[in-house]
Amino acid sequence: MDVCKRHENTSKCSVNNMDCFMVLSTQAQKISIATLCGLFGVLCIMENSLVLYLIFSSPGTRRKPSYIFISGLALADILASIIFVCSFVNFHVFNETNFSKEVFLLQLGGVNTSFSASLSSLLLTALDRYISISRPSEYKLLMTRKRAWIALGVLWAMCASIASLPLLGWNCCTLNSTCSELFPFVDDSYLSSWICFVMVLLGCIVYAYAHVLWRAHQHVAYMEKNQGQLGKQNTRMRMDVTLAKTLVMVLAVLVLCWSPILILMIYSVLARLNNHLRRVFAFCSTLCLLNSMVNPIIYALRSKELHSSLIMVFSRFRRQLKVSEESPEPESTHKSSMIET
């Protein structure tokens, strides 16, 4: 008999009844989750911090709207890693329930805000590429630095507002309504609304990427017909094709990482989940962390500017190491000569 079914006739809003959401039953499962969260979380924070450093250390990249959106994505992924890993491991691995309903909903709101902001930043990146490839002559007029910061700020505020609704009262305790089987205190209708919000974000991203791919395909066909006759336009088109390929890689990772948890969330709204499916959901949740970890790798490999900045940073670091290794030698030689004297 499922743990949650045993609590069917009791108050689902009590912190003492949160044991039905702790679905990791064996030590091996807890170690696996802790290892995945620790590995993905640490790599995600390191990689995205490096991306932020590369962007803001170069005047050329930090002024471009596309890199403003990428920096927003990196910041969102760092916040998502910190909040998700700490709260997720604390709850599922250490089975910590020594907190109030408000504290739990605040943690959940932080996770939802950061992951939603990550998707929103990907959407803005996709729209930026959409405008640059569909209206290249008007791109600089339409996508200014000021508009980029405003768009990023508006979407972050929207994500934070939607994520804070359970804390402000849209939860099954306050409304005395049906609780979600995946998240304590969360109302099923709110979960459905949040799923719709995420699906709209993903749908817009897919549409923008599909258009970029279609235009990139047209550019490839045009270049094949007019090789050697395009000059600067040829270079511009090749850049668009490269950017399109980068976006396809981001999109593929995005869909693979988000599809499992969205499918399980939708299923939880429509039907009852057993402990096995809730356990699968717990493991699939780490895929969102994997998505945040993979994004900066794609940018570092595919963006020429970031790749060049990364090589410069490593070259500078190697030079500093060589200087620090060579500097003691003259000093030691000087000491030995004094001893001989």
Side-chain angles (χ1 to χ4, degrees), residues 79-271:
L79 292 176
S81 301
I82 295 172
I83 302 172
F84 177 84
V85 170
C86 292
S87 58
F88 195 78
V89 171
N90 193 41
F91 185 80
H92 283 289
V93 177
F94 298 109
N95 300 138
E96 181 62 48
T97 59
N98 189 24
F99 49 77
S100 63
K101 176 192 72 176
E102 288 73 20
V103 170
F104 178 84
L105 290 177
L106 181 63
Q107 291 176 351
L108 184 64
V111 173
N112 287 347
T113 298
S114 49
F115 277 128
S116 300
S118 178
L119 289 177
S120 298
S121 299
L122 278 176
L123 173 60
L124 290 175
T125 304
L127 292 176
D128 175 72
R129 291 301 94 208
Y130 176 90
I131 295 172
S132 71
I133 203 169
S134 60
R135 303 172 73 176
S137 59
E138 304 172 37
Y139 173 75
K140 289 187 177 180
L141 294 175
L142 293 173
M143 191 59 69
T144 62
R145 189 182 177 189
K146 182 179 179 180
R147 288 179 179 177
W149 281 114
I150 291 174
L152 197 63
V154 168
L155 275 179
W156 270 71
M158 184 186 301
C159 293
S161 300
I162 293 173
S164 63
L165 290 176
L167 185 62
L168 297 176
W170 193 355
N171 58 74
C172 59
C173 305
T174 304
L175 301 176
N176 195 24
S177 55
T178 305
C179 293
S180 168
E181 292 185 325
L182 292 174
F183 306 101
F185 314 123
V186 174
D187 181 71
D188 256 349
S189 61
Y190 170 78
L191 182 59
S192 302
S193 302
W194 189 81
I195 292 170
C196 291
F197 172 65
V198 172
M199 294 292 284
V200 168
L201 288 179
L202 290 174
C204 292
I205 292 172
V206 170
Y207 174 80
Y209 284 1
H211 183 84
V212 170
L213 275 178
W214 176 65
R215 291 301 296 264
H217 176 72
Q218 286 184 322
H219 287 182
V220 170
Y222 187 71
M223 284 189 293
E224 288 177 351
K225 289 182 180 180
N226 301 276
Q227 283 184 347
Q229 302 176 12
L230 296 175
K232 291 183 179 179
Q233 189 180 3
N234 194 353
T235 304
R236 171 69 186 177
M237 288 184 174
R238 290 190 186 280
M239 287 175 62
D240 287 338
V241 172
T242 302
L243 286 168
K245 291 178 180 178
T246 302
L247 295 182
V248 170
M249 293 173 66
V250 174
L251 179 59
V253 172
L254 185 71
V255 172
L256 288 173
C257 291
W258 278 87
S259 294
I261 65 163
L262 286 176
I263 291 171
L264 287 171
M265 282 183 183
I266 294 170
Y267 184 77
S268 73
V269 174
L270 301 175

Side-chain angles (χ1 to χ4, degrees), residues 289-300:
L289 205 57
L290 176 64
N291 179 39
S292 298
M293 186 195 77
V294 171
N295 281 336
I297 296 176
I298 297 174
Y299 299 136

